[in-house]
Amino acid sequence: METKTNVASGAKGAMIQQAVGVFHTATQRNTQMRHLTGSMPKVDAAVAGAKGNQSKASMPIVRCDNLTKNKGDEVTFHLDNPIGAYPIMGSAYAKGKGVGMSFSEDRLRVNQARFVIDMGNTMTQIRSPFDMRRMGRPKAQKLMNQYLDQSTLVHLSGARGFHDHRIEWTVPVNTHKDFADIMVNPVKAPTKNRHLVAGAGTVGELKANAGELVINSMDVLSMDVLDAVREWSDSIPLPPPPVEFDNDQAATDSPIRVYLASPAQYSQFATDPAFRAFQANASARARLAKDHPLFLGDAGLWNGILILKNPKPIRFYAGDEIKYCAAYDSEAESVCKVPASFGDKFAVDRGLLLGGQALAMAFGASEHSGIPFFWKEAGDDFDDKMELAIGAILGLSKIRFAVDHGDHTEFTDHGVTVLDTAVKIIKPRG
């Protein structure tokens, strides 16, 4: 006997069952941003002690689903701060000299985001050769998936950029009147010690001259630049922690960080004659990481950096403002501009070097379904006209510590470093 999956309209629990389907689809979507999120641990005493259901902290995106302990729209993440100490040698008295562990709290808000699809009216259903309800649901799901991935990208980048196309972007540029509401939490410009700019085959912290970013059109992403990024991460105190993939046999002996390149950055790097070898390196490492999806497709591995192509660029055109932090001990943001000399031939694209604990992602429970995602259908004009809504209760925020270095404090984006490079563009804006 053939069995069909069917939930009757108006059936008890129908909305909740279908909302579970939406939540599963969104959290299992086959995208880079989803694959950068650790799987939920089954047993973790430290997380249990924090009274949350938190994902693996060694992945770039730390997800928390269980937000039922308190009412309200603010979520607290418990973060393990780095500590340092010298050993106590020989017979020196050790009792009472223990180094205290430090746990910071990072707070973010959650809010409701909804996408609504107009499914027409009774006569539309009769005249159309398509099933509007069947067509509407995947379209709404796609919009929600785009919103999740793009808002993640913007928060990690510390900027939205100005590449824009309504048919592709569900997050508007920062001059849009609803930008702050759509992003839920403030988009924080990169901290001074996590903002790199390419220059003459190397990298350095952002510099401005006469209000313009110090960069020229030849400062593109290259193998030399990535080597410089690796050297930078090996040289600084408390670099972004490596990413540890589930069941990666080489996680300890050969640590990896992930670089998300814009399409233009990736294309520039892929012209290197050795790029095929980088792809082979990624394929070989994939076997040690149990064929984790991030290693497949367009991935390349070079000098401990897994290079991936990000589908959307965070781009700044000539004359566009770039926000940055001018001081190590302050989150105050300054502004410089992309050189006017870039004209309509070049722009600045932002790549992301990701380690563990880069972004906090929190989901709240909707009263419609008891879980983060929900969908509803609503009729109007005596049910002649129908609309479909998919919604979610969520919030994202970049993870940032005020790190005590002993003699000074540095605000530090814990798991993400941005790299701005020049790129050649095909059209002025779009």
Side-chain angles (χ1 to χ4, degrees):
M1 179 178 178
E2 185 178 5
T3 302
K4 298 288 187 181
T5 301
N6 180 52
V7 179
S9 176
K12 183 178 179 181
M15 183 272 292
I16 294 177
Q17 291 178 47
Q18 293 176 45
V20 170
V22 172
F23 184 52
H24 176 80
T25 303
T27 56
Q28 298 301 317
R29 61 196 187 282
N30 188 29
T31 66
Q32 287 174 350
M33 296 305 173
R34 208 282 295 173
H35 294 316
L36 288 167
T37 306
S39 59
M40 304 301 286
K42 294 180 179 179
V43 179
D44 190 324
V47 171
K51 300 180 181 179
N53 192 10
Q54 191 167 298
S55 62
K56 188 176 180 180
S58 57
M59 292 295 283
I61 301 171
V62 182
R63 192 181 80 223
C64 181
D65 295 340
N66 184 11
L67 309 179
T68 59
K69 67 171 183 174
N70 291 316
K71 292 290 185 181
D73 65 350
E74 190 175 83
V75 178
T76 301
F77 271 77
H78 298 266
L79 305 169
D80 184 4
N81 273 321
I83 59 174
Y86 295 122
I88 301 168
M89 304 301 295
S91 298
Y93 199 78
K95 185 176 180 179
K97 295 182 180 180
V99 177
M101 293 185 294
S102 174
F103 297 93
S104 294
E105 289 187 353
D106 196 16
R107 298 177 182 272
L108 62 85
R109 290 179 52 249
V110 296
N111 203 354
Q112 177 179 247
R114 292 178 293 174
F115 290 96
V116 180
I117 303 295
D118 183 353
M119 294 190 293
N121 55 39
T122 299
M123 294 310 298
T124 302
Q125 295 282 358
I126 292 174
R127 295 167 181 155
S128 173
F130 306 109
D131 182 337
M132 292 298 175
R133 181 177 283 106
R134 186 176 180 181
M135 296 287 288
R137 288 176 183 169
K139 289 182 179 296
Q141 181 71 64
K142 181 179 179 181
L143 289 172
M144 183 60 74
N145 290 348
Q146 287 180 184
Y147 173 64
L148 282 169
D149 288 345
Q150 292 173 14
S151 56
T152 298
L153 174 63
V154 171
H155 273 296
L156 285 170
S157 301
R160 163 59 174 82
F162 296 92
H163 175 272
D164 197 27
H165 200 300
R166 179 69 180 272
I167 202 67
E168 294 181 342
W169 281 92
T170 57
V171 174
V173 296
N174 65 358
T175 54
H176 191 280
K177 64 181 180 63
D178 295 327
F179 176 77
D181 289 337
I182 289 172
M183 294 309 299
V184 184
N185 293 286
V187 176
K188 307 171 187 176
T191 54
K192 181 175 175 62
N193 60 3
R194 292 292 189 263
H195 196 161
L196 302 179
V197 180
T202 185
V203 297
E205 293 180 353
L206 181 145
K207 296 179 181 178
N209 182 29
E212 285 192 341
L213 176 68
V214 177
I215 193 172
N216 67 59
S217 60
M218 300 300 292
D219 294 331
V220 299
L221 182 66
S222 65
M223 187 161 45
D224 289 339
V225 167
L226 277 184
D227 281 336
V229 170
R230 175 60 190 261
E231 182 181 1
W232 167 85
S233 66
D234 288 342
S235 303
I236 63 170
L238 301 176
V243 176
E244 295 182 14
F245 302 99
D246 288 338
N247 303 314
D248 184 1
Q249 300 174 44
T252 301
D253 296 330
S254 181
I256 280 181
R257 293 180 181 88
V258 175
Y259 183 78
L260 291 184
S262 76
Q265 285 180 332
Y266 184 91
S267 295
Q268 179 71 39
F269 188 80
T271 60
D272 191 289
F275 186 70
R276 294 297 180 190
F278 304 157
Q279 290 181 310
N281 292 342
S283 179
R285 181 58 186 271
R287 291 192 291 273
L288 296 177
K290 305 300 182 183
D291 289 327
H292 192 282
L294 282 178
F295 288 88
L296 308 178
D298 293 328
L301 182 61
W302 172 251
N303 203 3
I305 299 175
L306 183 65
I307 306 144
L308 305 173
K309 181 166 64 175
N310 188 12
K312 291 287 177 291
I314 300 296
R315 176 169 295 169
F316 307 88
Y317 298 91
D320 285 342
E321 292 186 343
I322 294 179
K323 294 183 179 181
Y324 67 99
C325 294
Y328 293 111
D329 60 353
S330 174
E331 294 181 282
E333 297 181 0
S334 302
V335 174
C336 64
K337 293 186 177 182
V338 176
S341 60
F342 273 33
D344 61 359
K345 302 297 183 183
F346 298 92
V348 171
D349 275 11
R350 178 162 293 177
L352 301 174
L353 181 70
L354 298 176
Q357 289 189 349
L359 185 86
M361 173 184 289
F363 290 108
S366 166
E367 65 177 8
H368 299 298
S369 61
I371 59 175
F373 287 74
F374 65 90
W375 77 266
K376 291 184 75 69
E377 292 182 5
D380 192 21
D381 190 19
F382 301 98
D383 287 340
D384 178 67
K385 301 165 183 63
M386 293 293 294
E387 287 184 322
L388 167 73
I390 285 184
I393 311 293
L394 69 141
L396 302 91
S397 183
K398 186 163 50 174
I399 296 174
R400 176 173 292 177
F401 295 143
V403 179
D404 184 359
H405 285 254
D407 57 348
H408 69 287
T409 296
E410 292 186 12
F411 283 97
T412 302
D413 290 337
H414 184 59
V416 57
T417 300
V418 307
L419 173 61
D420 291 342
T421 76
V423 294
K424 190 173 183 180
I425 55 176
I426 298 173
K427 54 187 297 189
R429 290 184 184 271

